[in-house]
Amino acid sequence: GAVVSQHPSRVICKSGTSVKIECRSLDFQATTMFWYRQFPKKSLMLMATSNEGSKATYEQGVEKDKFLINHASLTLSTLTVTSAHPEDSSFYICSARQGIGELFFGEGSRLTVL
Amino acid sequence: SQKIEQNSEALNIQEGKTATLTCNYTNYSPAYLQWYRQDPGRGPVFLLLIRENEKEKRKERLKVTFDTTLKQSLFHITASQPADSATYLCALDAEGFQKLVFGTGTRLLVSP
């Protein structure tokens, strides 16, 4: 299957700093990328949907100024958590697909804000 | 409101038995439904996709059914093995394929 690479896998930062997570589709062009957040033992919560070259569509309750999403090319999307606080600590997972159908997921990024 | 619910948070079965997981949805009209497997600390991995006009889909020891009248999908793992222990998630497209929404997940534990 297609490969989606997500980096970093783990990041620890101080409160108030910003953290960028990258998501790359390695062997296909991703028309759409999705960013999910997952709390321990919970399901995936969709944060936003991004299409290449256009602004991301955020889900209700997700602060677009805190979670900046950029989908600069058909193979790269980034999530920047700005002015991170301890409550932003979570497991963030990106996914990508070409057209409709199955999603290919990255390995996830564990963010810990001290 | 829209919901995707999986029948149980956790399911324990013995090796060799058939595991059956349920996914029910409310106020969605999906054209297809998907099942994923997620291991701890990893991203989900796609398993199967079933379309609204398909009643059943099989892949090796996996079988998925889709009943659009009941608004339910069943996911079966036959001859289960300890290696099948994981969280299984159903997902469906919403808003004209604009996004994929996941169910609550079921943690399956297969004991030797």
Side-chain angles (χ1 to χ4, degrees), chain A residues 7-78:
Chain A
H7 293 281
S9 57
R10 292 179 185 274
V11 57
I12 301 172
C13 69
K14 291 182 180 178
S15 188
T17 61
S18 294
V19 173
K20 181 185 280 189
I21 300 170
E22 285 192 353
C23 179
R24 293 180 185 274
S25 57
L26 297 186
D27 50 2
F28 69 103
Q29 293 186 325
T31 50
T32 308
M33 286 186 170
F34 302 89
W35 286 94
Y36 292 87
R37 180 173 180 175
Q38 188 172 35
F39 293 99
K41 296 186 178 180
K42 298 293 183 184
S43 189
L44 285 78
M45 182 190 80
L46 181 63
M47 299 175 65
T49 302
S50 75
N51 295 293
E52 183 263 342
S54 60
K55 288 184 179 179
T57 302
Y58 289 81
E59 293 300 298
Q60 192 172 10
V62 178
E63 298 176 60
K64 55 183 70 176
D65 292 332
K66 165 160 280 288
F67 300 101
L68 300 179
I69 291 171
N70 183 275
H71 193 159
S73 74
L74 283 171
T75 59
L76 174 64
S77 178
T78 60

Side-chain angles (χ1 to χ4, degrees), chain B:
Chain B
S1 63
Q2 293 178 314
K3 288 182 188 176
I4 308 172
E5 293 177 313
Q6 295 184 237
N7 62 323
S8 52
E9 195 172 316
L11 179 64
N12 294 338
I13 63 167
Q14 268 196 311
E15 183 176 8
K17 302 290 186 184
T18 297
T20 298
L21 286 64
T22 305
C23 176
N24 294 289
Y25 58 91
T26 310
N27 292 326
Y28 284 105
S29 297
Y32 52 84
L33 189 143
Q34 305 180 38
W35 284 88
Y36 290 78
R37 169 183 172 143
Q38 185 178 25
D39 291 285
R42 310 289 296 273
V45 174
F46 171 78
L47 295 175
L48 279 168
L49 179 154
I50 185 166
R51 301 180 192 282
E52 62 178 338
N53 60 350
E54 297 176 314
K55 295 295 183 188
E56 182 179 297
K57 199 86 168 273
R58 291 176 185 261
K59 179 182 175 183
E60 297 172 352
R61 293 185 294 111
L62 308 180
K63 185 178 85 171
V64 172
T65 62
F66 191 12
D67 189 327
T68 55
T69 302
L70 290 178
K71 295 186 183 296
Q72 181 182 81
S73 174
L74 298 179
F75 177 80
H76 306 273
I77 305 176
T78 58
S80 59
Q81 304 166 1
D84 296 325
S85 299
T87 295
Y88 292 86
L89 300 152
C90 66
L92 49 85
D93 270 73
E95 298 182 12
F97 306 112
Q98 289 302 304
K99 58 185 183 183
L100 197 66
V101 183
F102 283 81
T104 47
T106 297
R107 276 183 289 116
L108 174 67
L109 177 62
V110 181
S111 303

